[in-house]
Amino acid sequence: MTIALAGNPNAGKTTLFNALTGETARVGNFPGVTVETRSAPLRGGGTLIDLPGVYSLTPLGGDERVARDMLLSGRANAVINVVDATSAGRGLYLTMQLLEQGLPVAVALTMMDELTAGGGSVDVEALSRALGTAVVPVNAARGTGLEALLPAVESAVSSPPRNLSRSPEKAAAQRYRYIDEKCMPCFVLPEESPASRRSRRLDALALGRLTAFPILGLALAAVFFFTFGPVGGALSRLLTGAAGILASLARDALAEAGVPGPLTALLAEGAIAGVGGVIGFLPLVLTLFLCLAVLEDTGYMARAAFILDRPMRALGLTGRSAVPLLTGFGCTVPAVMAARTLDSPRARRATALLTPFMSCSAKLPVYALFSAAFFPGFGAAAALYAGGIAVGTLAALLLRRGGEPESFMLELPNYRMPTVKGVARLLKLRASDFMRRAFTVILVASILVWFLRSFDSSFALVTDPGRSLLAAIGRAAAPVFAPLGFGDWRAVTALAAGLSAKEAVVGVLSVLAPSLESLFTPASAASFLTFTLLYPPCVASLAAMRRELGGKTAALSALTQLTIAWFAAFLVYRMALL
Amino acid sequence: MTLADMRPGGLGRVTAVTGGPMRLRLMEMGFLPGTQVRRLRSAPLGDPLEAALRGYALSLRRSEARMIQVVEL
């Protein structure tokens, strides 16, 4: 049995999904459309597919289209509809539309504790009769009510279609009339729940005229501080040091064991140094994702979008672009895909084109490596992030063009404490994604680099890497980068490796140039970092952009980024030399 | 008057949702004739603004709020 999970954003859908499927959720794509979604096997058999959170099935926006198409495709036999009991007056609208689809629907009523905390209640049996389908109160976080849910879905019956007007507006009115007259009387609604009151008080600060921007700045600064400072940065330095020790231990051990030279080099300097050099930075990446997840789960992201909408519109974007763009600081790939959820093609396009300027977390290792060698503290990283945003802003202004307006209807959910379980699950997902990339793409890149630098053009072993195939290739491209201060084949090779995955830049540098100072000066380090910040993202991101923008636009964008990167690095180098 | 004209904190009842590309979306979010709406705060830069209806809070642009005709309560 394949069950689709549908519901409004912020209704507790994700928590229920996790509770029903355990640790086995897999991030995937809907066929034909690249919106990040998940499906997983249910405990007890069957599959659960998580649909994007939507307020209706009317195909007015990207998410609604995806949800509707999925439901019409016949892939699902039944639907679990997550409805937030505290906003059922609106949430049941989607329920009405789901029932009209003709699929068996079971309603999972969430946030019951919030409802009762405010003195409210719901007559579940009466509501069930009014809707004509099973209604099951659940508490996904605590795991109550779940055992009743699956049997309810299995025994749910498709309801007959109602007599709806053919005009969508009249149909909307009809649905709400039914909700108001037949469904809401089953609820006893409190004046205001404690959660809502608390949110209003917090919003007086978060959204107040004088306090909103300072608080936003503080929030972003806090993210930065935790990522580079006491949490992410410290753990990262620890792991990197450990990785280095592991590599030399391995080298010595293998040599002692009599393993032939080239194989030792392959394992110790190729594989371990390359991969080990990257894994050390896992804490940086995870801390950043943790911070972004906390911002999203607490509900603050919506406030950020609310505050930023006006200035973003000046850039030709929308406040809702803030979420994909902020996600871009974690990873460009989901950020580009998140742009797909915006309504107007113009906003989608502009947002997707700008995400590469939000320096992705895979570049953090490069910044950290060079900061350690040349620019102590996180001033360099701060400057790079700010620079990326500045260039992105300029690009947005240049891209601005008239077009149809993007709607900005955004629910501001009550502030919530993120659950430890939810956050832990997200981190586990990102960590395993990172490790998978480390042990596939980066491992292959490291071995390839090792191979190319150990052999020359006649495939004879060389001891001096400067005479290898890699050096020959790198030297051919190096003159292009000479004006930028790093016209050395090793730097060029590292950058080229960065096209497969940005973490590979550090991986390759660890293999080719264990001592950075021998290869760079502070000035050329600064220009190298600038180039790394601005040049085209990894192939996974380029693929996502191609899917979103089309091959020609994506290629043009990549070329433009390359050019901007070159000129910016050139400027930085010349200025640094002064 | 429209939702955009209401003062923050004011309570009103929707009388009509005027035409435009956003009309259906506004109606599907619950803005229908007879619906009670409370105008909440504006964003620090004046736009967008927040409104409460049907048990939830929604932010929308001034241009969208101007499409919702209300009568003050």
Side-chain angles (χ1 to χ4, degrees):
Chain A
M1 188 175 211
T2 306
I3 304 178
L5 190 63
N8 291 166
N10 309 305
K13 202 159 55 67
T14 308
T15 317
L16 184 64
F17 183 88
N18 291 335
L20 288 173
T21 58
E23 306 281 324
T24 51
R26 198 177 31 91
V27 176
N29 295 314
F30 275 123
V33 182
T34 45
V35 174
E36 223 176 49
T37 182
R38 298 171 309 158
S39 73
L42 278 163
R43 304 191 218 235
T47 314
L48 188 65
I49 303 181
D50 190 14
L51 297 180
V54 291
Y55 295 105
S56 93
L57 291 179
T58 314
L60 291 171
D63 278 353
E64 287 92 350
R65 253 191 297 269
V66 169
R68 201 181 77 120
D69 291 346
M70 202 278 146
L71 288 168
L72 288 176
S73 72
R75 266 178 73 194
N77 315 111
V79 179
I80 294 180
N81 175 216
V82 179
V83 175
D84 178 342
T86 60
S87 57
R90 176 213 67 215
L92 287 172
Y93 185 82
L94 177 64
T95 313
M96 299 274 115
Q97 288 185 308
L98 287 169
L99 291 168
E100 288 155 24
Q101 295 297 313
L103 283 170
V105 176
V107 172
L109 212 50
T110 56
M111 313 295 170
M112 291 294 291
D113 45 351
E114 215 175 282
L115 180 68
T116 49
S121 65
V122 55
D123 183 349
V124 175
E125 302 229 343
L127 183 61
S128 187
R129 276 196 304 272
L131 289 173
T133 191
V135 175
V136 181
V138 300
N139 187 321
R142 246 173 273 153
T144 55
L146 299 178
E147 60 294 336
L149 193 55
L150 286 174
V153 186
E154 274 153 31
S155 59
V157 187
S158 318
S159 16
R162 299 165 199 269
N163 301 337
L164 274 183
S165 163
R166 309 197 73 210
S167 140
E169 285 95 352
K170 291 217 181 81
Q174 278 179 297
R175 292 185 190 108
Y176 270 116
R177 193 162 31 244
Y178 192 85
I179 293 172
D180 291 339
E181 288 169 11
K182 295 285 189 331
C183 303
M184 291 319 287
C186 307
F187 286 81
V188 172
L189 289 175
E191 258 313 314
E192 187 175 34
S193 68
S196 168
R197 198 172 11 246
R198 184 178 53 218
S199 299
R200 258 195 319 114
R201 282 208 209 106
L202 285 171
D203 274 342
L205 279 174
L207 300 176
R209 192 146 298 171
L210 295 171
T211 49
F213 278 103
I215 291 186
L216 183 62
L218 254 146
L220 295 174
V223 172
F224 201 81
F225 177 69
F226 278 116
T227 304
F228 287 96
V231 183
L235 283 171
S236 178
R237 277 187 291 276
L238 218 78
L239 269 182
T240 314
I245 294 173
L246 185 70
S248 26
L249 277 177
R251 190 172 28 240
D252 295 337
L254 287 169
E256 267 192 46
V259 178
L263 193 58
T264 304
L266 169 64
L267 288 171
E269 282 141 41
I272 296 183
V275 175
V278 170
I279 292 193
F281 296 103
L282 184 61
L284 275 177
V285 174
L286 287 184
T287 312
L288 183 59
F289 274 112
L290 171 71
C291 292
L292 290 175
V294 167
L295 282 181
E296 177 83 58
D297 285 357
T298 49
Y300 186 71
M301 280 286 212
R303 272 83 185 165
F306 185 68
I307 297 169
L308 293 171
D309 184 59
R310 189 92 201 285
M312 290 219 126
R313 255 186 290 154
L315 296 176
L317 298 168
T318 156
R320 288 173 63 203
S321 301
V323 176
L325 288 174
L326 283 173
T327 308
F329 285 116
C331 176
T332 311
V333 179
V336 172
M337 297 202 287
R340 201 162 257 270
T341 63
L342 298 172
D343 296 340
S344 72
R346 185 176 64 97
R348 277 204 296 270
R349 196 164 160 273
T351 308
L353 281 171
L354 292 175
T355 45
F357 292 110
M358 308 297 121
S359 171
C360 82
S361 65
K363 296 182 184 174
L364 286 187
V366 186
Y367 306 160
L369 192 68
F370 279 80
S371 289
F374 298 101
F375 314 110
F378 42 86
L384 285 163
Y385 274 98
I389 296 174
V391 177
T393 309
L394 267 161
L397 286 168
L398 288 169
L399 281 173
R400 243 194 97 164
R401 248 178 295 157
E404 90 271 20
E406 162 90 12
S407 92
F408 183 72
M409 276 176 254
L410 187 70
E411 186 184 355
L412 291 169
N414 287 334
Y415 284 103
R416 262 168 220 154
M417 279 297 283
T419 61
V420 174
K421 256 201 274 181
V423 170
R425 189 169 273 111
L426 174 93
L427 288 182
K428 192 166 160 233
L429 206 72
R430 288 295 169 196
S432 62
D433 181 57
F434 180 93
M435 295 297 264
R436 203 175 346 120
R437 238 173 328 150
F439 284 103
T440 53
V441 174
I442 294 165
L443 183 63
V444 168
S446 303
I447 292 179
L448 191 66
V449 165
W450 169 84
F451 177 81
L452 287 173
R453 71 141 186 180
S454 306
F455 295 89
D456 66 13
S457 42
S458 48
F459 294 106
L461 205 61
V462 291
T463 43
D464 173 16
R467 286 155 40 127
S468 65
L469 264 175
L470 189 63
I473 299 172
R475 279 201 198 96
V480 178
F481 297 95
L484 309 182
F486 49 90
D488 181 296
W489 63 275
R490 286 166 288 181
V492 175
T493 308
L495 286 172
L499 284 175
S500 59
K502 287 291 173 271
E503 293 97 330
V505 177
V506 165
V508 169
L509 279 176
S510 314
V511 175
L512 293 178
S515 149
L516 276 183
E517 288 88 343
S518 60
L519 197 53
F520 293 95
T521 65
S524 63
S527 88
F528 184 85
L529 285 175
T530 309
F531 192 86
T532 307
L533 169 74
L534 295 169
Y535 86 123
C538 65
V539 286
S541 308
L542 289 172
M545 291 185 76
R546 190 180 66 96
R547 257 175 277 147
E548 180 56 45
L549 301 163
K552 255 185 284 184
T553 313
L556 191 62
S557 147
L559 232 75
T560 314
Q561 284 172 54
L562 201 59
T563 318
I564 295 176
W566 195 95
F567 277 104
F570 179 72
L571 271 167
V572 168
Y573 186 58
R574 291 297 151 191
M575 289 201 303
L577 285 179
L578 292 173
Chain B
M1 68 182 313
T2 69
L3 181 61
D5 303 321
M6 285 176 69
R7 294 165 52 92
L11 188 65
R13 192 187 304 279
V14 179
T15 54
V17 182
T18 52
M22 293 299 151
R23 183 162 185 255
L24 179 58
R25 186 173 272 264
L26 284 168
M27 292 175 76
E28 289 202 314
M29 293 302 279
F31 288 102
L32 291 165
T35 307
Q36 241 186 37
V37 147
R38 186 180 287 281
R39 163 87 152 87
L40 299 174
R41 59 162 36 83
S42 310
L45 297 175
D47 195 1
L49 51 96
E50 212 188 335
L53 71 157
R54 295 183 181 275
Y56 78 106
L58 180 73
S59 70
L60 60 168
R61 294 202 177 129
R62 250 173 216 283
S63 53
E64 291 153 354
R66 262 183 234 123
M67 291 170 47
I68 302 168
Q69 304 278 339
V70 297
V71 64
E72 203 140 35
L73 292 174

